[in-house]
Amino acid sequence: MAEVQDGHYDSTSQCTDSLRVEPIYESFLCPLTKQVMRDPVSIDSGVTFERDAILKYFNQCLSSGWRLVCPVTKMELSNTELNPSIALRNTIDEWMNRNEAAKLDVARKSLTSDSTESDILQALQYVDEICQRSRSSRQVVRRDGLIIMIADLLKNSSTKVRQTALETLSSIAKDDNDNKVEIAAGDNIRTIVKFLNHGQTQEKEQAVSLLFELSENKALSERIGSVSGAILILVGLSSSKVENFLIVDRAEKTLENLESCEKNVRQMAENGRLQPLLRLLLEGSPDMQLSMAAYLGELVLSNDIKVLVAQKAGSTLVNIMKKGNREAREAALKALNQISSYDASAKILIEAGILPPLITDLFTVGSNQLPMRLKEVSATILANVVASGARFESIPLDHNRQTLVSEDIVHNLLHLISNTGPAIECKLLQVLVGLTDSSTSVQNIVDAIKSSGAIVSLIQFVEAPQREVRMNSIKLLNNISPYMGQELADAFRGNFSQLSSLVKVIVDNNGISEEQAAAAGLVADLPMRDSVLTRRLLQDGAFSTIIKKVTRIRQGEIRGGRFVNPFLEGLVRIVFRITFVLDDDPDIIAVARDYNLTSLFTDLLQMNGLDIVQIVSATALEKLSQQSKHLTKILPAPSPGLCFSIFPCLSQKTVATGVCRVHCGICSARESFCLLEGKAVEKLVACLDNNNEKVVEAALAALSTLLEDGVDIDQGVMVLCDAEGINPILEVLCENRNEALRQRAVWAVERILRMDEIAYEISGNQNVGTALVEAFRHGDYRTRQVAERALKHVDKLPNFSGIFSKMGAQ
């Protein structure tokens, strides 16, 4: 007799002696399918067929209009009645049971380490065929102890054996919980999971299919999730762009099954799969919502996930925060704390209405108030939300249309800052830092601080032992210092130790921090002409240390990150203070000499790209240069000799060797702050080409000190000629960028045009003439006067002074 493989009759196949099973009878086979019949039925011709096969044949005849005949005898049929062949079906069932038992007996003997690979594979194929027949067959496999034997093959050295064993176990597990439990015994689940990460593609396919079957048992879902790395690997496979569709699909469906266990949902959330957790948060029971919210607060979320959570669950969490009990509110607050730490998600929470309940939680006192540890969380969320940069002056908090920057709200925040512990103080200071970072709301905060008189209490925090509190207070004071410089100066004069504390922060040698940059900016914004503060800084040794830091940064010895530029700008502005009190105290002149400020600021002119440093440096050089005519050592004039009396043409001014051309005395960069001796002229001229009008204005102001009354203006002009500075000054005049620049340029050009040779050469320059005419027509009174004199130098206006003097003599 021939045999059946996979239920198909195969007349050519013969079993080997080691795998012989009971032969099949041809009467068991359907004439149409050539397969063993499961539900044999007889038709009118007396021939027996598989029910489904003959029904399909009848339907084809009817739909095609064919004559209804028996497919075997060709006898015409008078009807399509089907008569069940119960006896044959029972005989087939008995045969199949005997055959399965024989196959299983053969398989049991072959599923050992002593068998050949081919025998093991044949045995696994037998078991797979039997399991696909019916659930009862799968139960027989379990009762015969084959599951344990097949599971042991997962550690076989043959890839083909392992792959086939996984496939067979999937068939055994289908729709049978008892089989699933036995397959999952011991460390089998861990072994299956390993195939997901290290197996070949076909092994991965079979392993993930087997896990899917096992995961349909809820108890086993928890066990699968407890295997280290299982959920992470499945999450990776489900979102993979390189794995085949079957692996991705099975991994996704396995995860969906694993969601039945809360522990698995938590693990999925840890590994970036938040949807199950959010679904339970939104749709679960109150206890489940509380559990998911609490866990959400413990997670470390990526920024993309924070946005997703804010979009899906932000409103729900805000609602829990407003209306839930103490435990629920705590869970919601902790979750919102996580989500709010990213600007994009924080803005979504603002739209969800998070601000009013936050403010209520912070300001409520009495029996309904939150404990301080939760107020700290509320303060942290508020700080996160404010850092998002929204326009808080347009977001109402209540029916009175108050906003976060309303005076009463800011007063309450200031009151809390002064009456709570360091943790909340720090966060509320951070809130005010965020509000004062915005150009649209800083004035509101400044006005509220002024009206509350809180500046003295705020300054006290610069001496706080907690670094975060101190840093946020310094950042806040730095933000408001451009608007409250005098108030800050008054407060510091009342307690110099606080100013000294700021200096200590600035001169700290541990890199360049945000705190240092803010402290430097704060001190730099104090009124420049406040000589009391300047002397206090001198007394503390601040200038000496700061100048050393500036030099080291300039030379590249101190490197910093994103705070190095604002830090350097602040330091330079602090040193700049010295130049504002040069007229007040001779001792300050000595300080400027000791620190060689002319050379320092001349070097800093070359900090291209740092406009503030260049502006401050040029302005400092202007102030220093204005002192030069007072500090130069004037030599006595030589007695005229015979040559001078005989040849009066030789009596025009000459410059003695070693004498400054401009200041007509002994000059130096250190002692008299001379720009010429300090090699600053060329660097200032280079700044006239800057795109920033403020840099150009400051450089021009410094160069103009070479043309002031009290110096040799002609020589000053010649110095500018030598430095190729005349044309850049004329270009500044012609560009006419703004009124302040025009005033300075007109003044400088008038002085330059006093030299006849230059006036003659420039008289033909139409652009210069037009610019002077425009200044004469549209400038203020003083500028018009200067422009008039300049136009006379180039003969654009007649000079009536000589005529008037003659008329007066008549």
Side-chain angles (χ1 to χ4, degrees):
M1 284 292 176
E3 295 178 355
V4 174
Q5 302 292 339
D6 292 333
H8 294 272
Y9 175 70
D10 186 352
S11 60
T12 63
S13 66
Q14 299 292 329
C15 281
T16 64
D17 290 338
S18 62
L19 295 176
R20 187 177 298 280
V21 294
E22 184 177 342
I24 192 172
Y25 296 96
E26 291 189 17
S27 59
F28 293 175
L29 301 176
C30 173
L32 292 175
T33 65
K34 306 304 181 185
Q35 294 180 327
V36 175
M37 291 181 286
R38 302 292 178 89
D39 187 10
V41 293
S42 298
I43 62 173
D44 195 37
S45 66
V47 180
T48 302
F49 299 90
E50 177 67 49
R51 180 187 292 274
D52 290 343
I54 192 63
L55 284 175
K56 182 179 180 182
Y57 170 75
F58 286 163
N59 289 332
Q60 285 180 334
C61 290
L62 290 172
S63 62
S64 303
W66 298 342
R67 190 165 57 94
L68 193 63
V69 298
C70 173
V72 174
T73 66
K74 305 304 179 184
M75 183 185 86
E76 188 167 350
L77 302 174
S78 60
N79 60 68
T80 57
E81 291 182 2
L82 304 177
N83 299 307
S85 300
I86 297 174
L88 178 59
R89 186 176 64 188
N90 291 339
T91 301
I92 291 173
D93 285 342
E94 291 174 2
W95 173 86
M96 292 192 79
N97 289 334
R98 292 194 306 274
N99 202 43
E100 284 180 2
K103 283 186 175 183
L104 290 176
D105 185 57
V106 171
R108 190 183 300 106
K109 296 174 182 177
S110 300
L111 294 175
T112 66
S113 58
D114 297 332
S115 301
T116 65
E117 180 180 304
S118 60
D119 284 350
I120 294 173
L121 292 174
Q122 182 67 71
L124 290 171
Q125 183 179 346
Y126 280 166
V127 175
D128 190 59
E129 292 171 5
I130 291 167
C131 288
Q132 291 184 32
R133 179 186 170 198
S134 66
R135 182 176 179 182
S136 61
S137 299
R138 294 193 284 276
Q139 292 172 346
V140 171
V141 170
R142 183 182 74 253
R143 286 196 300 268
D144 285 356
L146 291 175
I147 291 178
I148 295 175
M149 300 176 72
I150 296 172
D152 287 342
L153 294 175
L154 296 179
K155 299 176 182 179
N156 194 280
S157 60
S158 167
T159 300
K160 184 65 175 175
V161 168
R162 295 195 303 269
Q163 177 188 329
T164 309
L166 287 166
E167 184 177 8
T168 304
L169 288 171
S170 293
S171 298
I172 295 171
K174 192 170 183 63
D175 298 328
D176 194 310
N177 279 327
D178 292 333
N179 285 5
K180 293 176 198 244
V181 171
E182 189 160 335
I183 292 171
D187 67 344
N188 288 341
I189 293 180
R190 186 182 302 276
T191 301
I192 297 167
V193 169
K194 287 182 180 178
F195 287 113
L196 299 182
N197 205 31
H198 303 294
Q200 298 179 1
T201 299
Q202 290 181 323
E203 285 181 314
K204 280 185 183 179
E205 288 181 7
Q206 300 303 333
V208 75
S209 295
L210 176 54
L211 271 184
F212 167 66
E213 292 292 344
L214 298 179
S215 68
E216 295 203 314
N217 181 308
K218 185 173 181 179
L220 294 182
S221 289
E222 185 171 351
R223 287 186 58 189
I224 293 171
S226 67
V227 174
S228 177
I231 288 180
L232 174 59
I233 295 170
L234 287 167
V235 169
L237 291 176
S238 69
S239 57
S240 174
K241 304 296 184 184
V242 296
E243 300 290 353
N244 64 37
F245 173 78
L246 176 61
I247 291 175
V248 173
D249 179 65
R250 283 290 182 268
E252 177 64 30
K253 290 180 177 177
T254 302
L255 287 168
E256 290 173 2
N257 289 339
L258 296 184
E259 291 173 14
S260 62
C261 172
E262 184 180 337
K263 288 183 179 179
N264 293 341
V265 170
R266 291 171 179 250
Q267 277 201 65
M268 291 178 198
E270 287 178 13
N271 293 296
R273 186 182 174 93
L274 262 290
Q275 291 86 346
L277 184 148
L278 295 178
R279 188 161 49 251
L280 293 177
L281 176 62
L282 296 174
E283 303 171 4
S285 65
D287 288 343
M288 182 61 72
Q289 286 185 321
L290 174 59
S291 176
M292 292 299 102
Y295 189 66
L296 191 58
E298 299 172 8
L299 290 175
V300 177
L301 305 176
S302 68
N303 289 336
D304 289 344
I305 296 298
K306 290 173 186 175
V307 172
L308 172 66
V309 175
Q311 291 170 336
K312 299 290 185 182
S315 296
T316 298
L317 290 169
V318 169
N319 194 50
I320 294 172
M321 185 182 74
K322 289 193 293 187
K323 300 179 180 179
N325 58 30
R326 177 69 57 80
E327 188 180 7
R329 291 170 70 190
E330 179 173 358
L333 281 170
K334 289 181 178 178
L336 289 167
N337 186 24
Q338 280 278 357
I339 305 165
S340 64
S341 59
Y342 181 53
D343 290 350
S345 52
K347 288 178 179 177
I348 296 171
L349 293 178
I350 293 172
E351 294 176 3
I354 195 173
L355 282 176
L358 271 182
I359 294 300
T360 299
D361 283 350
L362 284 170
F363 292 170
T364 299
V365 295
S367 58
N368 293 325
Q369 72 174 338
L370 287 176
M372 293 307 292
R373 59 184 177 82
L374 293 186
K375 282 199 173 188
E376 180 184 341
V377 179
S378 295
T380 303
I381 296 171
L382 183 59
N384 291 341
V385 168
V386 168
S388 69
R391 294 180 63 89
F392 295 98
E393 64 275 12
S394 61
I395 303 173
L397 297 177
D398 52 31
H399 63 278
N400 294 323
R401 307 298 294 177
Q402 284 201 108
T403 69
L404 199 56
V405 299
S406 295
E407 186 175 55
D408 288 345
I409 300 297
V410 178
H411 283 178
N412 284 332
L413 290 172
L414 292 169
H415 177 76
L416 276 177
I417 289 172
S418 299
N419 294 278
T420 53
I424 296 182
E425 289 170 355
C426 179
K427 294 305 176 182
L428 295 182
L429 284 169
Q430 197 172 322
V431 169
L432 294 180
V433 169
L435 294 174
T436 53
D437 278 337
S438 168
S439 60
T440 59
S441 60
V442 60
Q443 190 62 57
N444 298 75
I445 308 303
V446 167
D447 292 343
I449 292 174
K450 286 182 177 180
S451 63
S452 68
I455 193 67
V456 174
S457 59
L458 288 176
I459 284 181
Q460 292 175 356
F461 289 113
V462 302
E463 296 182 295
Q466 300 84 11
R467 183 180 182 278
E468 288 296 316
V469 173
R470 186 180 70 239
M471 180 175 73
N472 282 308
S473 71
I474 292 173
K475 289 167 64 177
L476 171 61
L477 295 172
N478 180 39
N479 284 352
I480 65 175
S481 59
Y483 310 88
M484 298 184 67
Q486 191 57 57
E487 290 86 348
L488 287 165
D490 294 341
F492 281 126
R493 280 201 300 271
N495 189 342
F496 280 130
S497 68
Q498 293 161 352
L499 183 61
S500 299
S501 295
L502 284 176
V503 172
K504 288 177 182 177
V505 171
I506 293 169
V507 302
D508 183 78
N509 287 320
N510 295 325
I512 299 176
S513 67
E514 183 180 14
E515 181 183 14
Q516 286 182 294
L522 169 55
V523 175
D525 279 335
L526 298 176
M528 289 288 180
R529 298 189 184 278
D530 192 321
S531 59
V532 174
L533 292 182
T534 301
R535 289 189 178 88
R536 181 64 195 190
L537 291 170
L538 275 171
Q539 183 179 331
D540 285 345
F543 291 116
S544 175
T545 307
I546 288 172
I547 288 171
K548 289 176 183 176
K549 272 190 174 290
V550 170
T551 303
R552 293 180 65 195
I553 294 173
R554 173 80 177 88
Q555 295 174 349
E557 295 178 18
I558 300 178
R559 298 186 180 277
R562 57 196 177 104
F563 303 116
V564 64
N565 287 348
F567 183 52
L568 178 61
E569 290 169 357
L571 297 182
V572 173
R573 288 167 60 212
I574 293 172
V575 179
F576 182 39
R577 295 183 62 88
I578 297 174
T579 65
F580 278 82
V581 291
L582 292 171
D583 291 327
D584 300 338
D585 190 342
D587 292 340
I588 300 298
I589 296 287
V591 170
R593 287 169 171 166
D594 290 342
Y595 296 146
N596 198 4
L597 292 189
T598 304
S599 295
L600 174 68
F601 287 116
T602 299
D603 287 341
L604 291 171
L605 283 175
Q606 300 174 86
M607 299 292 288
N608 295 323
L610 294 179
D611 291 354
I612 291 177
V613 172
Q614 290 183 307
I615 292 168
V616 170
S617 298
T619 306
L621 289 172
E622 175 197 6
K623 294 183 175 300
L624 289 166
S625 181
Q626 287 170 343
Q627 300 295 320
S628 296
K629 57 189 175 185
H630 306 301
L631 300 176
T632 187
K633 295 181 179 179
I634 304 297
L635 296 178
S639 301
L642 179 62
C643 292
F644 287 98
S645 59
I646 299 176
F647 304 104
C649 62
L650 298 178
S651 64
Q652 73 181 74
K653 188 186 304 183
T654 60
V655 178
T657 303
V659 173
C660 175
R661 298 161 58 186
V662 176
H663 301 113
C664 305
I666 304 298
C667 275
S668 71
R670 179 183 289 272
E671 296 298 322
S672 61
F673 316 139
C674 179
L675 298 184
L676 181 59
E677 296 297 326
K679 313 298 182 188
V681 178
E682 292 81 359
K683 297 179 177 64
L684 288 166
V685 168
C687 290
L688 296 178
D689 192 40
N690 198 289
N691 291 325
N692 188 324
E693 296 175 353
K694 296 293 185 181
V695 175
V696 176
E697 184 180 348
L700 183 55
L703 291 171
S704 295
T705 61
L706 301 176
L707 306 175
E708 290 179 339
D709 295 337
V711 304
D712 191 321
I713 297 175
D714 288 351
Q715 287 298 320
V717 173
M718 294 309 299
V719 167
L720 292 176
C721 283
D722 293 343
E724 299 182 356
I726 301 298
N727 283 332
I729 293 174
L730 295 175
E731 288 173 8
V732 171
L733 171 68
C734 296
E735 288 173 2
N736 192 21
R737 300 194 200 179
N738 60 51
E739 185 60 29
L741 261 179
R742 177 162 69 178
Q743 290 175 0
R744 287 199 177 276
V746 168
W747 185 91
V749 168
E750 190 277 329
R751 296 277 166 144
I752 292 169
L753 293 178
R754 292 181 183 184
M755 288 193 68
D756 293 341
E757 297 87 344
I758 294 178
Y760 177 78
E761 186 173 342
I762 291 177
S763 61
N765 189 321
Q766 293 184 353
N767 290 332
V768 173
T770 300
L772 289 173
V773 169
E774 286 297 306
F776 178 67
R777 293 177 57 204
H778 302 296
D780 60 17
Y781 176 75
R782 183 172 179 277
T783 302
R784 291 180 63 190
Q785 282 188 317
V786 177
E788 179 182 359
R789 291 198 299 270
L791 287 168
K792 290 177 180 178
H793 294 321
V794 292
D795 294 332
K796 297 293 183 181
L797 283 174
N799 190 340
F800 296 107
S801 58
I803 298 174
F804 290 148
S805 62
K806 289 179 182 178
M807 290 175 63
Q810 290 177 354

